[in-house]
Amino acid sequence: MSTRTPFIAGNWKLNLSGEEGIALVQALAKPAAVSRAEVAVFPTALALQAVAKAAAGSRIGVGGQNCHWEEKGAFTGEVSASLLKAAGARYVILGHSERRQFFGETDQTVNRKLTAVLAQGLVPIVCIGETLAERDGGKLEEVLSRQVRGACAGLSATQLGTLVIAYEPIWAIGTGRTATTQQAQDAHAFVRSQVHALFGGLADRVRIQYGGSVKPDNAKELLAQPDVDGALVGGASLKAGDFGAIIAAA
Ligand code: PGA
């Protein structure tokens, strides 16, 4: 077992009001199963402050699902890393495949956002992953390598000290179709090798979460893989019972 602390993150996406989010963290904060995992939830920007207040003093951290790279200015509709931090966030998800697919995010914008998030002392979760066509076309390693290099361009191992990467095969997100444990382990080991090539010893510390249809019944096996250091959970993070079971599996 690695010495890396497993990290279970719940990406609520465009779900749950502030009130619903408060109820969920209160249910999760109850003395549930013992787990050594670090745990965080990612409410909408609007619900974040209320959820962070409700989670204060518990083992559950709170983070944003996205942010802009500028701190302030004429950027209608955006939220900055510093505002997320002021609202109680300790983490920010960057480059989720839904943002890349529906909102035009690129490795370059992820890189700018990552720089902003690190400058605020927040913990980034950088999402990477291939489409089914890319995997079937033998492009898996090329895609993952490009995404890691692109996100981290111009940053040093020292700056990236808290980096978390989420490997999320796009064909497994919200589809009920999970990567096999072997596919997950192979991709994670490859991503770690890329971090090693770029940043040496950081590779041993960087936590790589698996994401894509993680459920209570597949979490244990996935999390038992040597290079799988946690999970980024979508659908199953919206129910206290399911998310609690995944936390317990870590
Ligand atoms: P899912 O989402 O668990 O619902 O597949 C994962 C994610 O998009 O982070």
Side-chain angles (χ1 to χ4, degrees), residues 11 13 96 98 168 172-174 212-214 232-235:
N11 175 11
K13 308 190 180 183
H96 189 278
E98 286 150 17
E168 301 201 297
I173 295 176
S213 299
V214 175
L232 181 54
V233 185

Side-chain angles (χ1 to χ4, degrees), residues 3-177:
T3 55
R4 294 181 291 271
T5 303
F7 182 12
I8 307 296
N11 175 11
W12 292 354
K13 308 190 180 183
L14 185 42
N15 295 291
L16 305 184
S17 66
E19 259 172 48
E20 291 165 334
I22 289 168
L24 183 46
V25 290
Q26 283 171 345
L28 287 169
K30 291 201 179 112
V34 181
S35 168
R36 65 188 187 108
E38 182 174 331
V39 179
V41 297
F42 295 76
T44 66
L46 201 57
L48 192 147
Q49 188 157 25
V51 172
K53 264 199 191 129
S58 80
R59 55 174 308 190
I60 301 166
V62 175
Q65 299 175 10
N66 173 42
C67 71
H68 192 54
W69 55 81
E70 294 290 350
E71 216 173 309
K72 58 178 162 182
F75 303 103
T76 303
E78 292 294 325
V79 170
S80 65
S82 58
L83 284 175
L84 289 175
K85 185 177 172 178
R90 291 214 308 266
Y91 309 86
V92 187
I93 295 171
L94 296 171
H96 189 278
S97 66
E98 286 150 17
R99 297 223 46 95
R100 294 179 191 255
Q101 190 181 346
F102 304 130
F103 303 100
E105 295 235 357
T106 63
D107 292 332
Q108 236 180 347
T109 58
V110 172
N111 175 247
R112 296 181 76 175
K113 293 177 179 198
L114 177 56
T115 306
V117 164
L118 291 170
Q120 288 298 325
L122 296 170
V123 174
I125 301 180
V126 173
C127 301
I128 60 174
E130 83 288 1
T131 64
L132 195 55
E134 287 165 341
R135 175 175 278 268
D136 290 346
K139 296 223 157 63
L140 172 66
E141 295 194 347
E142 184 187 318
V143 170
L144 297 182
S145 175
R146 189 189 67 226
Q147 291 174 332
V148 171
R149 279 166 202 278
C152 298
L155 291 160
S156 69
T158 309
Q159 285 172 300
L160 290 165
T162 61
L163 175 68
V164 178
I165 295 175
Y167 168 63
E168 301 201 297
I170 293 168
W171 45 273
I173 295 176
T175 57
R177 204 181 143 186

